[in-house]
Amino acid sequence: MKFHATIHDLALLIRTVQSLVKIDKIGIIHFTAEQVSFILDSGQTTDDIQVWCSINQDSIFKTYVVESLSENEIAIEVNLNNLLHALKTGQVSNEMSWKLTKKDNLPYLSISIMCEINNGLPLVQDVPIQIITPQNLQRHKEPDLPEPDVQIMLPQLSKLQCIVDKMKEMANTILIKANMAGAMSLSIKTDIVSVQTLFKDLEHPQIEGQPEYVRDENKTAEIRVDIKKLRKVLYSHYVNPKNAVLCLVKNQALVVHVLLDVMYLTYYIPALL
Amino acid sequence: METLSQQGLTEEIPIEILEKEEVRTLIQSQQSQELEQEQEQEQNNRQEFEQYENDEDEEEDEEDEYELELKPVLEARVTDVSLLENNLAPLCLKKDQMTKVLISSNGLYFNVEGDSKNIQTTTFIDASLFERYEYNLTQEQNENEIEIEEDKEKEKEKEKEQEVETELEEQTNKEDVERVTMLRINLSVLLDCLGIFKAKKKNYHLNETVAQLIYPNQTGAFEIDLEDGGVVTWCSLAVNSIDDNYVQPQDEMKFDASSVTNTIVMDSMGLKVALGELDWACRTIGVFMFQQPSMLSMQTIGQNGICRIDCPSDSEAVERLDSSQDQSCSYLSSLLRSCVKALQYSTKVSIRMNMEGMLSVQLMIKNRQNIQSFVEFLINPEEEGEDEEDDEEEENYVKNRQEDEQFIIGEEINEKNPLRDEEHEELRLESHKLNQN
């Protein structure tokens, strides 16, 4: 198998990895001809958050070569902290290239930059990885959930994070309610205090191929999740999303889609019953 | 119902013995009679409306009725919640800090007493600083006061000790004259609620957050409503009952202003920078105020050495220093640390020391639009001679001058004038003497 590529938009890549590293430290990167996907689903077994992210390959990479025996797709498992560290170092130069290498029989993702400070000397950082075989990759599948009861566009994520931050100091779980008429509320309740924040006049997403949604006040859904998990998800504001959609699947999960033109991040937060 | 008994009560009391409180009670009972009559009328009107509403809403209606009858004890609105935050944040000495709140028609008074009982911090937010401020005493409160009068009568009849009587008199006097509502709430949670729209790393709100405080009735919950850019948050904070921990107003820490020996008014930032240089790992901090040369000095003696900050009165950071006699005291660094944390919210600070060694630190809080408000810290001194190690070390310090480390902030080290070192030596000896006393 062969992989080498040069980076075009390092900033976007760094911001994405910064959001992801808040969720879990280990992640799978899946390279295909069109897409680069990040899969963080150790939460499947631990009842934690799962993230499925996909970026158009050509929005990050300038040159991009992926060759392998399995339909020219490669999947690797990497420690996201290490990856982030290497990427941040690369910020000093304009040229960063990635290559899969093997040293002492161990696979690495070699990230090299041309350091202007060092009179053009290359700086190479080897990030240890594990190769994921196609059979193993099959086992990682996006959760199969029923149609969400309510889908609503979220207000500015950074603002939401402020509020959830403060609520986190006061309680452990948060109740999220929304209806199909543009209203969403976040509330916490303990012996000492109860707080409720209400957002009004929110939009609803228009999904392709589905009939136009009808504003319906009576169609509501509510779901209870762990506050800390919700807060971690809200770090996705780092990527400066264009839109964020919240989907409530009663008794099962809270799904947050963070959207950019060239990328999406989908978070699955398990519901507390 | 109650009106009849009230009438009965007032008729029993012979006119000669009517004291001030009782006259007020008379007027109150008349007023409350009128109030009840008005409310009865309102109720009748409302009942007519009710006939047209659903049966399902019956329970809700009854609740609404009840609420409409009683105006909330407190309804206050402020256009910028940072007024409240900046005045209350300094009072938070620990996590889950409880505070006593006294609501009166003049404003809100908050009082926090430290666990060690050696520190107290208070603030008063004047009613005029609010956009809207309404303090209403409810019908219930009037009735409660009348009950107190009844009890008082019974006690007089039983001829109890005069001490008890006068105590009760004083209490009812205070309550009658000052008319306050007292409660205890969790200050840390209140601050979390007030700051719900505040961005974490910034010290300002993105939009102006409007806040409304409502205390519906005597034993209910304290409500805080906030609105910021179209988003609304409602908070309901449980009100703790006055329990054994409650400190009576007469037992609160008080500063005897008549015996003030030293006062300094300085720039908060200057003081904060100066204090930042001290060794906060030390258990106590020595505070010295001198007449000649006029200055404030603070000193720590610890494992890392001896550190001393001098703030002379001619320094830029010092606005004013009045010293009637040299004085020095030690204070627990853990207590002073709370003051230092609070400095970030203020522009100016005044420190007064009195004969008993109590420190009064008053902070002028940063507010918009020339609004003035203050937070005051009262700190008791640490007993002298408690740390024998410290005394010994101080003796060595004086003997072995070369080993000293001197940090002078707020005043440039004047290398041209070598006399300064000698002056300092004298001061050290003086302070040593003071400590020995």
Side-chain angles (χ1 to χ4, degrees), chain A residues 166 192-198, chain B residues 195 198-199 232-236 238:
Chain A
K166 291 284 151 50
I192 302 174
V193 67
S194 64
V195 183
Q196 183 178 44
T197 300
L198 178 67
Chain B
K198 187 156 97 170
V232 181
T233 298
W234 297 287
C235 310
S236 181

Side-chain angles (χ1 to χ4, degrees), chain A residues 126-162:
Chain A
D126 292 326
V127 182
I129 58 172
Q130 281 198 2
I131 307 287
I132 306 280
T133 62
Q135 296 94 306
N136 281 339
L137 189 62
Q138 287 295 313
R139 284 202 244 127
H140 297 272
K141 282 203 172 130
E142 224 167 313
D144 188 18
L145 292 170
E147 273 298 306
D149 301 289
V150 170
Q151 296 181 63
I152 193 166
M153 309 281 279
L154 286 173
Q156 202 184 17
L157 290 180
S158 47
K159 195 169 185 184
L160 261 183
Q161 199 182 39
C162 290

